[in-house]
């Protein structure tokens, strides 16, 4: 038994991480590939059997994993977003949910042989839009802030609400009509009150611990995870699935208490959640029985189509009627409603408990599975192109943010724009940005290390960063702050005066970006050479060998790929290796001053 569990864990983790990496390389939605790999290893090749390997502990383990996912999602919910998206969020969470519940129930009863009781349970299970699906899709799709907030808040807030509603209805149905409905309602209210009390009070307790130096740094992340799992388990003792609400509220409250250092801990938890989501979707699809797949029928397929093409669009249209949402935002929200792990978990429990007690009970699991599979595949592949068509993305072109507006950095931004590379000049002083505005360059006046700055940067697509202020310590701090978000090898900074690069006696590479330029250049060197007439010029790949050779007449700054990607020229980075259609941006001495 122990060996089968170990092999199952190994297979799930390796397959999940491999699918995530392959999806990144192929630029495919990771969720779709994870689901497909699970189906292949489970029902397809019969190599992975999570239900047999883990037995009765599988469902509690899935619940703990989902609790961490919704907790981490709650950490991303900032109440300041509600100032711009509050009305839409309220409509999607408080108005669209009951409308979807009613319409889904009617559709399930009318299109299949489900009794009203089972159809009601189906409606409750499917009102959720799973954060385990929505959040990874949002990470891959660069949506504008407001539509992204709509989908994110709806997924994280509605998930525990739908799970609670499904658990309550299942408890009533499992009692075969003999349940005390008043007692069930009291349990529901008690579960909600307990979830709110535990989730919110736990967050304030964490703030006291951290701000009063009552927890060492090495224990902070374990404490957060332990408390999240603890409030989840305690609330589930009152009513099943109430723990998801507690874990979500714990994360939301923490995110809005402004606890210093929490962002650093959140990076570790985000990586943990990627691993958990990978494992959860492999388990979900690998656990499906071939009998469930063979139970798919035309009525179930019709129900799936009705849920995606009628129920969701109608619910969103009614819920957002006469609001400030644009028709584009309403159209995107009306299409996007992927279901995930919570819907599958509740459906699996419900199917096993109902059995043949109600007409159509055997159709519940196939119907929910069909909806999960269809929404994951269709929404996974269509979110990005639909958002681009509706003009709700931050842009298609990779963008380089240059922090520090000066004569030479403005000149670099203008040269890159002429080469077809999108740029954003960032500075705190309006006077420094004035020349850039006169040249119609994109600018942002903000301090990027402030909360306002991080918030403002969310309105722009930033794929690369060049920290180009005269202060190399500030450049290093900025590079370290943004590297986990943008990517360590997509962040560069100017070298210190003199170009010192010794990690042992100088600033460690761990705490700065890679030095830009081949050879590396300091702010003073760039400024002085620009005053002497040096300018930026685009060099074709055919002249790459000549331009790539370091000499006193020019400095290579960037490699511009024909696909639009950028590579910083740096002795600390990979070799440039330009292809035939690529170009180089060089900083060179005027011809009349050449050697």
């Amino acid at each position: 038994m122990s060996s089968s569990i170990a092999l199952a864990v190994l297979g799930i983790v390796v397959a999940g991480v491999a699918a995530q990496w392959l999806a990144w390389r192929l630029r495919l939605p990771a969720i779709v590939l994870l689901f497909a790999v699970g189906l292949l290893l489970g029902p397809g090749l019969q190599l992975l059997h999570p239900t047999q390997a883990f037995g009765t502990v599988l469902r509690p383990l899935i619940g703990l994993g989902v609790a961490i996912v919704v907790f981490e999602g709650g950490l991303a919910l900032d109440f300041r977003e509600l100032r711009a998206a509050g009305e839409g969020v309220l409509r999607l969470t408080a108005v669209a949910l009951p409308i979807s519940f009613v319409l889904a129930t009617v559709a399930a009863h009318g299109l299949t042989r489900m009794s009203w009781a089972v159809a009601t349970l189906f409606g409750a299970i499917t009102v959720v839009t799973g954060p385990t699906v929505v959040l990874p899709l949002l990470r891959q799709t660069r949506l504008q802030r407001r539509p992204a907030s709509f989908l994110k808040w709806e997924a994280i807030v509605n998930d525990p609400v739908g799970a609670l509603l499904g658990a309550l209805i299942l408890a009533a149905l499992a009692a075969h009509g003999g349940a005390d409905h008043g007692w069930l309602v009291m349990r529901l209210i008690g579960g909600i009150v307990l979830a709110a009390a535990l989730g919110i009070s736990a967050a304030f307790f964490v703030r006291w611990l951290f701000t009063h130096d009552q927890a060492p740094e090495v224990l902070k992340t374990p404490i957060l995870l332990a408390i999240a799992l603890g409030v989840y388990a305690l609330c589930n003792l009152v009513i099943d699935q109430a723990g998801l609400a507690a874990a979500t509220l714990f994360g939301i409250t923490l995110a809005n208490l402004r606890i210093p250092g929490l962002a650093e801990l959140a990076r570790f938890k985000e990586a943990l959640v990627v691993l958990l989501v990978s494992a959860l979707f492999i388990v979900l699809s690998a656990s499906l029985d071939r009998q469930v797949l063979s139970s798919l029928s035309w009525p179930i397929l019709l129900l799936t189509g009705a849920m995606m093409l009628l129920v969701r669009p109608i619910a969103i249209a009614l819920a957002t009627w006469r609001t400030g949402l644009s028709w584009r935002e309403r159209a995107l929200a009306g299409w996007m409603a992927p279901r995930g792990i919570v819907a599958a978990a509740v459906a699996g429990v419900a199917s096993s408990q109902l059995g043949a007690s109600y007409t159509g009970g055997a159709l519940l699991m196939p119907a929910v599975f069909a909806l999960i599979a269809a929404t994951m595949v269709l929404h996974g592949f269509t979110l990005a192109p639909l958002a681009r068509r509706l003009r709700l993305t931050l842009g298609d072109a990779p963008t380089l943010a240059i922090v520090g507006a000066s004569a030479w950095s403005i000149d670099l931004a203008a040269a890159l724009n002429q080469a077809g590379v999108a740029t954003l000049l960032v500075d705190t002083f309006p006077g420094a940005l004035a020349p850039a505005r006169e040249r119609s360059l994109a600018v942002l006046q903000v301090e990027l290390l402030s909360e306002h700055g991080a918030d403002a940067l969310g309105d722009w697509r930033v794929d690369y960063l060049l920290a180009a202020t005269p202060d190399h310590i500030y450049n290093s701090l900025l590079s370290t702050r943004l590297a986990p978000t943008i990517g360590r090898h997509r962040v560069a900074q100017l070298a210190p005066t003199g170009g010192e690069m010794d990690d042992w006696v100088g600033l460690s590479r761990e705490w700065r970006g890679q030095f830009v330029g081949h050879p590396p250049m300091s702010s003073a060197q760039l400024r002085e050479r620009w005053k002497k007439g040096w300018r930026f010029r685009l060099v074709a790949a055919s002249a790459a060998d000549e331009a790539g050779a370091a000499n006193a007449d020019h400095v290579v700054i960037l490699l511009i790929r024909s696909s639009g990607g950028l590579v910083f020229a740096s002795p600390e980075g990979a070799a440039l290796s330009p292809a035939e259609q690529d170009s180089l941006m060089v900083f060179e001495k005027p011809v009349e001053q050449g050697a």
Side-chain angles (χ1 to χ4, degrees), residues 109 181 205 246 359 366 401 442 467 483 493 524 562 570 576 590:
H109 177 71
H181 296 292
F205 173 67
T359 303
Q493 68 176 82
S562 57
S570 172
L576 294 183

Side-chain angles (χ1 to χ4, degrees), residues 19-144:
Q20 287 273 8
W21 179 83
L22 188 60
W24 172 76
R25 290 293 299 173
L26 300 178
R27 297 185 179 181
L28 296 174
I31 294 301
V32 176
L33 201 56
L34 287 167
F35 194 70
V37 169
L39 285 178
L40 178 65
L41 296 179
L45 300 177
Q46 297 284 300
L47 297 176
L48 188 60
H49 305 278
T51 305
Q52 296 179 14
F54 295 97
T56 57
V57 303
L58 180 61
R59 181 171 173 257
L61 287 176
I62 290 176
L64 292 173
V66 174
I68 294 177
V69 172
V70 298
F71 164 60
E72 197 271 338
L75 287 173
L77 298 185
D78 194 325
F79 287 142
R80 290 175 299 185
E81 292 181 346
L82 297 181
R83 283 178 288 186
E87 183 181 21
V89 168
L90 180 63
R91 293 297 188 101
L92 290 179
T93 55
V95 181
L97 188 146
I99 296 175
S100 297
F101 173 49
V102 172
L103 293 178
T105 300
V106 173
H109 177 71
L111 296 175
T112 69
R113 299 187 302 275
M114 291 184 191
S115 63
W116 278 110
V118 178
T120 302
L121 182 56
F122 174 84
I125 293 172
T126 57
V127 295
V128 301
T129 55
T132 53
V133 186
V134 172
L135 296 182
L137 288 178
L138 290 180
R139 290 189 185 102
Q140 292 180 311
T141 307
R142 297 176 180 271
L143 284 181
Q144 294 174 6

Side-chain angles (χ1 to χ4, degrees), residues 422-435:
T423 60
L424 173 67
L425 272 167
V426 184
D427 206 300
T428 56
F429 301 106
L433 293 172

Side-chain angles (χ1 to χ4, degrees), residues 12 15-23 28-45 48 50 132-133 136-137 140 274 276-289 292-293 296 304 338-345 365-381:
I12 290 167
V17 173
Q20 287 273 8
W21 179 83
L22 188 60
L28 296 174
I31 294 301
V32 176
L33 201 56
L34 287 167
F35 194 70
V37 169
L39 285 178
L40 178 65
L41 296 179
L45 300 177
L48 188 60
T132 53
V133 186
L137 288 178
Q140 292 180 311
V274 170
L276 284 174
V277 167
S278 303
L280 287 172
F281 275 99
I282 294 290
V283 169
L284 164 66
S285 49
S287 299
L288 289 171
D289 196 294
V292 173
L293 299 177
L296 298 177
T304 301
R339 277 70 170 188
I341 294 294
V342 172
M365 188 60 185
V368 173
F369 161 74
L371 184 60
I372 292 173
T375 53
M376 278 200 301
V377 173
L378 294 177
H379 294 160
F381 279 115

Side-chain angles (χ1 to χ4, degrees), residues 93-452:
T93 55
V95 181
L97 188 146
I99 296 175
S100 297
F101 173 49
V102 172
L103 293 178
T105 300
V106 173
H109 177 71
L111 296 175
T112 69
R113 299 187 302 275
M114 291 184 191
S115 63
W116 278 110
V118 178
T120 302
L121 182 56
F122 174 84
I125 293 172
T126 57
V127 295
V128 301
T129 55
T132 53
V133 186
V134 172
L135 296 182
L137 288 178
L138 290 180
R139 290 189 185 102
Q140 292 180 311
T141 307
R142 297 176 180 271
L143 284 181
Q144 294 174 6
R145 180 191 303 275
R146 209 164 76 147
S149 296
F150 296 155
L151 298 178
K152 180 174 65 176
W153 276 82
E154 180 194 19
I156 296 172
V157 174
N158 281 5
D159 202 49
V161 174
L164 273 170
L165 183 60
L168 180 67
I169 294 174
L170 177 61
L173 296 182
H176 298 286
D180 183 346
H181 296 292
W183 169 243
L184 288 175
V185 172
M186 290 300 295
R187 282 184 62 198
L188 175 64
I189 296 174
I192 294 173
V193 171
L194 180 63
L198 280 180
I200 295 174
S201 61
F204 279 92
F205 173 67
V206 167
R207 184 177 70 169
W208 180 85
L209 276 180
F210 290 6
T211 57
H212 287 77
D213 197 23
Q214 297 300 308
E217 292 296 325
V218 70
L219 280 181
K220 287 185 176 180
T221 297
I223 286 173
L224 292 179
L225 295 176
I227 293 177
L229 295 176
V231 298
Y232 166 80
L234 285 175
C235 289
N236 274 4
L237 295 176
V238 177
I239 183 170
D240 195 26
Q241 305 302 333
L244 291 181
T248 303
L249 285 171
F250 177 46
I252 294 174
T253 309
L254 273 179
N256 292 277
L257 287 178
R258 306 286 181 266
I259 301 174
L262 198 62
E264 300 172 9
L265 305 178
R267 294 190 192 109
F268 168 79
K269 291 191 292 295
E270 184 177 357
L272 176 62
V273 165
V274 170
L275 183 62
L276 284 174
V277 167
S278 303
L280 287 172
F281 275 99
I282 294 290
V283 169
L284 164 66
S285 49
S287 299
L288 289 171
D289 196 294
R290 288 183 175 181
Q291 184 177 357
V292 173
L293 299 177
S294 64
S295 300
L296 298 177
S297 59
W298 281 111
I300 289 178
L301 296 179
L302 286 174
L303 175 60
T304 301
M307 290 291 295
M308 297 179 65
L309 302 177
L310 292 176
V311 172
R312 174 70 177 185
I314 292 174
I316 296 301
L318 293 176
T320 58
W321 185 49
R322 290 188 175 180
T323 65
L325 276 71
S326 68
W327 71 267
R328 294 183 176 87
E329 293 168 336
R330 297 174 72 192
L332 184 68
W335 171 243
M336 282 300 299
R339 277 70 170 188
I341 294 294
V342 172
V346 177
V349 174
S351 181
S352 62
Q353 290 188 14
L354 292 181
S357 304
Y358 291 89
T359 303
L363 299 177
L364 182 65
M365 188 60 185
V368 173
F369 161 74
L371 184 60
I372 292 173
T375 53
M376 278 200 301
V377 173
L378 294 177
H379 294 160
F381 279 115
T382 60
L383 174 58
L386 177 62
R388 284 195 295 267
R389 190 171 185 83
L390 293 174
R391 298 196 294 276
L392 293 176
T393 64
L394 295 175
D396 296 328
T399 301
L400 168 65
I402 304 174
V403 183
S406 61
W408 71 263
S409 65
I410 293 173
D411 193 34
L412 172 60
L416 287 170
N417 279 6
Q418 290 178 359
V421 177
T423 60
L424 173 67
L425 272 167
V426 184
D427 206 300
T428 56
F429 301 106
L433 293 172
R437 289 192 177 97
E438 292 174 359
R439 298 175 70 170
S440 301
L441 299 175
V443 300
L444 177 63
Q445 182 190 342
V446 74
E447 170 54 73
L448 286 183
L449 292 179
S450 68
E451 289 189 5
H452 170 65

